């Protein structure tokens, strides 16, 4: 039995990774370490919570003493690190929370792993899950982010993720820890917290509330279905080469305004509304400060070297996502009651 520590497993992407590993690898014991911040939700893992190869551990990666205890209790064969503060808008209002978890939390985790693996650092893997935002913002339509693109983070969120990537590389260079990093584009799919574009819009369409599109909606993102990201993480963990970086993306670029229109059409169909009804809710609001214009990942390396490719067409993934939200209304209602309301009002009142 191998013990794998996955951090942030109660969040959006982490929960899909935990589910994939628990179901696919009965000879792995998966420890899911999560602080259950506003973004963590154990309901994301209801279907696997009683599996014998799964254990949930509530804990904060900012707490170095807690990590020391955890690593004293269990020997981990590998770490897949996803725990993070993940929302750009929140990083604009509270950058320090991003420094704490994304930078200091990551260094705490690296230290705990280094301490445990000290005599055999080459036998264990520290895998850091990161973002395409570390590369900055593209302005030339011909350009794509490659693994060799210099880092140029523009938001407090991306600066914190870039910093944590640098620390992971520094631990490999300095202490000879085995590490890999992957940088992925925008994920979408079931269980995404409704502060992010698509679930926020789905929720507002259901409630007939305005759909706040930042600026003119001209910003471009590359979208990937979350389960395809989880499949890529599985491949990188098992077949990625020590010290390498893998870019993961869908070759699926959309302007925000176009993706919101597409979503409106799908929602009209699903809710039995007249075509064009949901799109009437689109409202252009004040732009995000320092809003990155375009992200576009070139995922050729992971496709050629590890044989990964996205499994879903975008329209199919979008329909699956909408179906999931409409049939899991309790999940959405639970999350959007209480604290979410005050977040939403504060975030959007000023726009
Ligand atoms: P999320 O916000 O949905 O989940 C983050 C999880 O981390 C939550 O369960 C939260 O409780 C936990 N967490 C936060 N702070 C913690 C702490 N101090 N200690 C322990 N646990 C803590 O995020 P997500 O969208 O699932 O992103 C997961 C990872 O993937 C992040 O590292 C993010 O940077 C990266 N990523 C996300 C995307 C995307 O489109 N969402 C794309 C590329 C990379
Ligand atoms: O209400 C909104 N209106 C709007 O126009 C929201 C929430 C977003 N937007 C725009 C901003 C972005 O251009 O939509 C785009 C997507 O926004 P987010 O869902 O906040 O994602 P983004 O800022 O692109 O970052 C995401 O992708 C990379 C994730 O949140 C990160 O965790 C990941 O690393």
């Amino acid at each position: 039995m191998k013990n794998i520590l996955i951090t942030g497993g109660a969040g959006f992407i982490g929960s899909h990774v935990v589910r994939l590993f628990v179901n696919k690898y009965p000879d792995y014991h998966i420890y899911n370490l999560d602080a259950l911040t506003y973004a963590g939700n154990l309901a994301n893992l209801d279907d696997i919570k009683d599996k014998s190869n799964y254990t949930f551990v509530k804990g904060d990666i900012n707490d170095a003493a807690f990590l020391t205890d955890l690593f004293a209790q269990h020997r981990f064969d590998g770490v897949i690190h996803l725990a993070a503060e993940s929302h750009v808008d929140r990083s604009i209002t509270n950058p320090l929370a991003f420094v704490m978890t994304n930078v200091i939390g990551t260094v705490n985790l690296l230290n705990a792993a280094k301490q445990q693996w000290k005599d055999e650092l080459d036998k264990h893997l520290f895998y850091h899950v990161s973002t395409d935002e570390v590369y900055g913002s593209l302005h030339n339509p011909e350009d794509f982010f490659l693994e060799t693109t210099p880092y140029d983070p523009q938001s407090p969120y991306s600066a914190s993720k870039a910093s944590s990537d640098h620390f992971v590389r520094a631990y490999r260079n300095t202490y000879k820890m085995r590490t890999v990093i992957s940088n992925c584009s925008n994920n979408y799919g079931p269980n995404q917290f409704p502060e992010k574009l698509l679930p926020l819009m789905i929720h507002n369409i259901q409630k007939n509330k305005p759909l706040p599109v930042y600026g003119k909606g001209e910003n471009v993102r590359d979208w990937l279905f979350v389960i395809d990201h989880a499949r890529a993480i599985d491949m990188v963990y098992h077949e990625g080469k020590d010290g390498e970086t893998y870019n993961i993306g869908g070759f699926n670029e959309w302007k925000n305004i176009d993706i919101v229109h597409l979503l409106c059409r799908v929602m009209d169909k699903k809710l039995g509304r007249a075509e064009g009804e949901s799109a009437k809710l689109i409202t252009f609001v004040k732009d995000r400060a320092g809003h990155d214009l375009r992200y576009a990942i070139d995922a050729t390396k992971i496709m050629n070297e590890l044989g990964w490719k996205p499994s879903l067409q975008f329209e199919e993934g979008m329909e699956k996502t909408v179906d999931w939200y409409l049939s899991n209304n309790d999940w959405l209602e639970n999350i959007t009651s209480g604290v979410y309301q005050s977040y939403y009002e504060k975030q959007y009142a000023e726009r």
Side-chain angles (χ1 to χ4, degrees):
M1 201 82 176
K2 283 190 166 163
N3 289 336
I4 315 281
L5 179 67
I6 299 182
T7 70
F12 167 48
I13 301 170
S15 61
H16 289 279
V17 176
V18 166
R19 176 178 299 99
L20 188 153
F21 273 70
V22 165
N23 287 334
K24 185 169 170 186
Y25 301 108
D27 53 337
Y28 288 179
H29 196 103
I30 302 302
Y31 289 84
N32 169 14
L33 166 61
D34 198 294
L36 299 182
T37 67
Y38 78 92
N41 185 351
L42 286 178
N44 294 348
L45 290 166
D46 264 351
D47 55 324
I48 59 132
K49 69 177 190 309
D50 296 325
K51 294 257 184 171
S52 59
N53 65 335
Y54 171 70
T55 303
F56 174 68
V57 183
K58 185 171 185 303
D60 191 331
I61 58 169
N62 291 318
D63 184 346
F66 158 78
L67 286 178
T68 303
D69 280 355
L70 179 70
F71 277 74
Q73 283 165 30
H74 306 282
R75 251 201 111 63
F76 295 113
D77 292 279
V79 172
I80 306 178
H81 177 36
L82 294 103
E85 288 292 339
S86 70
H87 190 40
V88 174
D89 291 326
R90 290 187 194 253
S91 83
I92 294 168
T93 38
N94 184 11
L96 205 51
F98 286 69
V99 177
M100 295 307 295
T101 286
N102 299 0
V103 185
I104 295 174
T106 299
V107 175
N108 284 336
L109 198 60
L110 284 162
N111 283 341
K114 176 165 86 67
Q115 171 64 22
Q116 178 170 93
W117 301 339
K118 54 180 178 276
D119 299 324
E120 41 184 35
L121 277 162
D122 56 326
K123 294 197 172 55
H124 303 279
L125 180 63
F126 190 103
Y127 176 6
H128 185 227
V129 175
S130 191
T131 172
D132 59 358
E133 300 195 19
V134 297
Y135 299 120
S137 180
L138 294 169
H139 291 270
N140 178 351
E142 315 283 293
D143 288 347
F144 284 86
F145 297 138
L146 293 166
E147 285 80 358
T148 49
T149 301
Y151 276 28
D152 186 22
Q154 300 290 317
S155 72
Y157 164 70
S158 52
S160 71
K161 291 296 290 189
S163 173
S164 55
D165 288 5
H166 288 319
F167 270 103
V168 171
R169 293 196 177 97
Y171 271 59
R172 179 171 183 277
N173 180 62
T174 311
Y175 308 111
K176 312 301 168 210
M177 183 181 260
R178 260 186 76 211
T179 62
V180 283
I181 297 175
S182 58
N183 298 82
C184 187
S185 62
N186 285 58
N187 284 217
Y188 71 97
N191 304 101
Q192 187 168 29
F193 192 85
E195 64 191 352
K196 308 282 163 58
L197 180 72
L198 291 177
L200 185 140
M201 296 293 173
I202 292 172
H203 182 237
N204 284 15
I205 292 171
Q206 278 182 292
K207 301 272 178 202
N208 266 312
K209 284 169 67 173
L211 308 181
V213 173
Y214 297 168
K216 295 186 176 137
E218 295 287 318
N219 304 67
V220 174
R221 297 292 183 264
D222 167 29
W223 294 90
L224 180 70
F225 193 59
V226 62
I227 291 172
D228 280 329
H229 187 190
R231 287 176 47 248
I233 289 174
D234 178 14
M235 284 184 177
V236 171
Y237 181 75
H238 288 101
E239 290 154 44
K241 290 205 196 85
D242 180 22
E244 292 290 316
T245 298
Y246 297 90
N247 278 356
I248 306 169
F251 286 109
N252 178 40
E253 288 180 54
W254 286 78
K255 274 189 188 168
N256 290 339
I257 187 63
D258 294 338
I259 209 172
V260 171
H261 271 292
L262 171 68
L263 177 67
C264 287
R265 286 197 294 279
V266 175
M267 290 294 283
D268 283 343
K269 206 170 71 185
K270 298 283 176 189
L271 296 174
R273 292 183 182 171
E275 206 182 317
E277 198 62 25
S278 299
K280 288 184 194 155
L281 298 168
I282 292 175
T283 309
F284 293 97
V285 299
K286 188 172 152 210
D287 209 352
R288 173 183 280 173
H291 199 172
D292 287 338
L293 181 63
R294 171 171 167 256
Y295 305 142
I297 278 277
D298 182 338
T300 306
K301 177 177 171 180
I302 190 173
M303 292 169 103
N304 287 349
E305 291 187 12
L306 304 186
W308 173 85
K309 64 175 188 320
S311 67
L312 271 191
Q313 289 298 321
F314 183 56
E315 280 73 6
E316 194 186 342
M318 185 77 131
E319 198 154 329
K320 263 185 191 251
T321 304
V322 168
D323 285 343
W324 186 85
Y325 279 94
L326 294 182
S327 53
N328 288 274
N329 210 36
D330 289 354
W331 184 94
L332 197 55
E333 287 299 321
N334 273 339
I335 281 184
T336 51
S337 57
V339 184
Y340 179 83
Q341 289 305 329
S342 40
Y343 161 77
Y344 189 88
E345 275 151 32
K346 202 162 164 244
Q347 190 65 238
Y348 290 91
E350 291 147 16
R351 291 188 184 275

